[in-house]
């Protein structure tokens, strides 16, 4: 992102939102630094495009011997933006996987979430991308991802259904095909 160009675009949007006809193109005092701040914030909110999931999910086998139970990290905070309105999406992600000799540091899972959350998203794709990255880079026997999130574009406009959560899930491998593994994960995730 070219931050200066992004800031100029924000400035033009602000003029459309709040421009004063008598001073075309001028922003009022309180908004003067807003374009730069907004551009900087969007640089962060979309920094996932420059992140490499392979780098984050470097696996290690130490400690993986004998791990044949599901590893579940519950309620990882997630902050993203919808690609239809650029409005905030926020909630939690639960990731579970059944290791196949390879395990990954638990903090890496929240970093993996950020790789895909810090982009313009739809919740369904975000859910699948996290699951598919787990499969690609960790090759587990099975993997599941559940996201519970609130969408400001839905809640603050139109019908204003406050507190309405959208729940999406993506199941891969034995978590999709084996009812016991699937039920265990969903019970832990919900
Ligand atoms: Zn939206």
């Amino acid at each position: 992102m070219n931050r200066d160009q992004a800031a100029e675009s924000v400035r033009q949007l602000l003029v459309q939102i709040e421009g004063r006809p008598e001073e075309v193109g001028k922003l009022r005092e309180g908004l003067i630094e807003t374009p730069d701040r907004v551009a900087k914030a969007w640089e962060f909110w979309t920094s996932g495009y420059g992140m490499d999931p392979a780098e984050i999910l470097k696996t290690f086998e130490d400690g993986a011997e004998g791990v044949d139970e599901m590893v579940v990290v519950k309620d990882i905070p997630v902050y993203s933006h919808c690609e239809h309105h650029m409005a905030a999406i926020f909630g939690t992600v639960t990731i579970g996987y059944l290791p196949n000799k390879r395990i990954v540091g638990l903090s890496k899972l929240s970093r993996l979430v950020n790789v895909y959350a810090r982009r313009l998203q739809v919740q369904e794709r975000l859910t699948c991308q996290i699951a598919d990255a787990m499969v690609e880079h960790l090759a587990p026997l099975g993997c599941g991802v559940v996201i519970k999130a609130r969408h400001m574009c839905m809640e603050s406009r139109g019908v204003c259904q406050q507190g309405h959560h959208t729940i999406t899930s993506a199941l891969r491998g034995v978590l999709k095909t084996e009812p016991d593994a699937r039920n265990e994960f969903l019970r832990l995730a919900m």
Side-chain angles (χ1 to χ4, degrees), residues 2-15 35-36 39:
N2 178 316
R3 198 191 290 176
D4 288 342
Q5 282 181 14
E8 175 54 24
S9 303
V10 174
R11 197 189 67 78
Q12 288 178 14
L13 178 61
L14 287 169
V15 167
D36 284 331

Side-chain angles (χ1 to χ4, degrees), residues 82-87 151-154 157:
C82 83
E83 67 186 27
H84 302 131
H85 306 89
M86 298 173 77
H151 293 245
M152 287 305 96
C153 61
M154 284 203 301
R157 305 176 319 127

Side-chain angles (χ1 to χ4, degrees), residues 88-109:
I89 301 171
F90 64 93
T92 57
V93 185
T94 294
I95 301 176
Y97 69 103
L98 200 55
N100 184 15
K101 300 194 186 76
R102 295 158 75 185
I103 55 175
V104 70
L106 299 180
S107 66
K108 302 290 180 65
L109 296 183

